[in-house]
Amino acid sequence: MTESKELQAKAKHEVATAGEQTRPGPVFTPEVDIFETDEELTLLADMPGVTADDVAIDLNDGVLTLSGDVKPLEGPGETDVLVEFETGRYHRQFALSDAIDQDKIDAKLEDGVLRLTLPKARKAVSRQIAVKAG
Amino acid sequence: MDIKKWVPWNWFKKEEEDAGEMLPVRRGNAKEQGGVPDHPLRLFHQEIDRLFDKALRGFGLPSFGLDRPMFPRLADGILKPTLDLGATDKEYTITVEIPGVDEKDVRLEIVNDTLTISGEKKQEKEEKEKNYYRMERSYGSFRRVLSLPEDADQDKVKATFKNGVLTVTMPRKTLPKSDVKQIEIKSA
């Protein structure tokens, strides 16, 4: 709102995933930022509450699937006084183009944010060839 | 009868005062209080909330309706992350989802029975310059204000931050029984 690039805050969307869920519980789409540099695409996904062990990143047929499990935060014998957010699974899919070097995708999880680095394939990187004066 | 037991503690008394904002209906109050019906005044309160909401919309301002975003913004542009509040016999647990915030950027303060959770979700500077395809995540300062109930032990508040979730625990202390004063009625 104040910055031009800043979008309105979005809801923690509950989604119906493509595949049917085998476990009960809500599924949310994580909010993402995707940006590009000359060499790579970076994807940042807000997935609060997930641990690195519970994140699954899967690449199949050019479809990148992000999913993550969140264990309920409530301890035993706890009663809810107020519930503003719910915990559940995260799930989101992206179609990747050939321009991404799919073997070199790198993932990091920090403070509930998943950072995926998607390097561009060699041919997609524009190279500038310096011309030397003879 | 202790009427206080029947009325759910309003954790957002201060926050509401500060923002002039009303919060949506708390879910399942009656059920969680062990089948105790809601206090009649609460319904009155909610009705006022609704009218207030309606008035706001009348002015073309966004409604603070039930389909609240994950990070609603207050009028002054401050983010308001969602929180869950749980209680056991021994302690209160507050959990706030603030992904992407550095531990150092979170501040917890207790002043006059009011707990303020504030901080800033920073956007990395180098990222600002890049070519964006999507921008869905929110950045900026955030704040939540909680009015602490009497039995929360303010000296023993503990906070942990893990995986983008801030957890604040407060032990509950047993309150000294209030003195019962019998007032004598004199016949005139």
Side-chain angles (χ1 to χ4, degrees):
Chain A
M1 281 187 281
T2 41
E3 282 173 42
S4 60
K5 271 195 172 175
E6 201 165 31
L7 292 192
Q8 285 273 18
K10 280 183 128 191
K12 188 176 175 181
H13 283 298
E14 198 173 335
V15 282
T17 47
E20 222 171 311
Q21 296 295 315
T22 49
R23 277 170 297 166
V27 179
F28 302 98
T29 35
E31 285 158 28
V32 297
D33 280 1
I34 302 174
F35 49 80
E36 186 191 14
T37 59
D38 290 340
E39 294 88 36
E40 62 191 23
L41 274 171
T42 305
L43 188 150
L44 297 174
D46 274 352
M47 299 165 93
V50 281
T51 59
D53 293 339
D54 290 328
V55 170
I57 301 153
D58 181 71
L59 184 67
N60 194 7
D61 278 341
V63 176
L64 180 76
T65 308
L66 309 180
S67 53
D69 264 323
V70 179
K71 293 181 187 84
L73 301 159
E74 286 85 24
E78 193 175 289
T79 44
D80 289 332
V81 178
L82 173 101
V83 179
E84 285 183 355
F85 71 85
E86 287 183 84
T87 51
R89 298 187 59 214
Y90 291 101
H91 183 96
R92 197 154 177 182
Q93 290 186 314
F94 298 93
L96 294 187
S97 73
D98 292 340
I100 300 295
D101 190 343
Q102 305 198 346
D103 298 328
K104 287 186 187 152
I105 296 174
D106 185 52
K108 250 194 335 194
L109 188 73
E110 198 180 348
D111 292 338
V113 180
L114 180 74
R115 174 187 278 263
L116 272 185
T117 314
L118 313 162
K120 287 184 191 172
R122 216 66 204 124
K123 58 177 190 239
V125 180
S126 66
R127 264 177 296 174
Q128 216 143 32
I129 293 138
V131 180
K132 285 176 198 150
Chain B
M1 189 179 63
D2 185 4
I3 193 78
K4 267 191 187 164
K5 276 186 186 157
W6 293 64
V7 188
W9 175 260
N10 184 7
W11 291 75
F12 301 111
K13 196 167 163 275
K14 186 79 171 73
E15 193 168 68
E16 285 166 5
E17 281 168 13
D18 281 0
E21 176 198 332
M22 299 297 167
L23 281 135
V25 178
R26 284 150 190 77
R27 285 191 301 144
N29 260 334
K31 197 181 74 208
E32 277 145 23
Q33 299 293 319
V36 178
D38 233 339
H39 191 260
L41 270 180
R42 180 115 215 126
L43 292 173
F44 177 67
H45 189 179
Q46 281 165 12
E47 178 65 5
I48 300 282
D49 287 2
R50 201 184 58 76
L51 289 171
F52 191 78
D53 214 11
K54 206 175 147 191
L56 271 181
R57 252 172 286 156
F59 289 114
L61 290 166
S63 140
F64 301 110
L66 280 170
D67 54 336
R68 285 160 14 105
M70 181 180 176
F71 284 115
R73 267 175 210 277
L74 300 177
D76 46 4
I78 290 174
L79 296 166
K80 201 176 145 199
T82 48
L83 59 85
D84 275 3
L85 227 157
T88 61
D89 294 340
K90 290 198 181 69
E91 61 181 19
Y92 290 110
T93 311
I94 302 159
T95 45
V96 197
E97 283 193 327
I98 36 175
V101 176
D102 200 279
E103 212 176 295
K104 297 191 291 285
D105 293 331
V106 183
R107 276 180 62 184
L108 284 165
E109 283 172 347
I110 297 179
V111 183
N112 300 332
D113 300 330
T114 305
L115 171 71
T116 307
I117 303 168
S118 62
E120 199 187 342
K121 182 167 175 173
K122 284 181 186 150
Q123 190 173 15
E124 287 167 50
K125 199 153 191 197
E126 34 119 15
E127 284 167 15
K128 276 184 186 162
E129 316 300 328
K130 288 177 184 169
N131 194 4
Y132 270 94
Y133 287 166
R134 274 168 197 265
M135 244 191 87
E136 298 170 356
R137 301 163 70 228
S138 333
Y139 300 97
S141 303
F142 62 86
R143 189 177 63 220
R144 287 308 301 254
V145 182
L146 290 159
S147 307
L148 300 180
E150 255 183 289
D151 65 344
D153 194 339
Q154 299 182 11
D155 300 325
K156 289 181 186 148
V157 179
K158 274 188 208 140
T160 54
F161 187 63
K162 211 182 154 193
N163 299 320
V165 180
L166 176 76
T167 309
V168 183
T169 50
M170 270 179 296
R172 292 173 79 162
K173 55 186 178 192
T174 38
L175 293 174
K177 284 209 176 87
S178 51
D179 298 331
V180 178
K181 258 187 209 163
Q182 196 97 39
I183 292 143
E184 211 181 318
I185 301 166
K186 284 181 193 159
S187 48

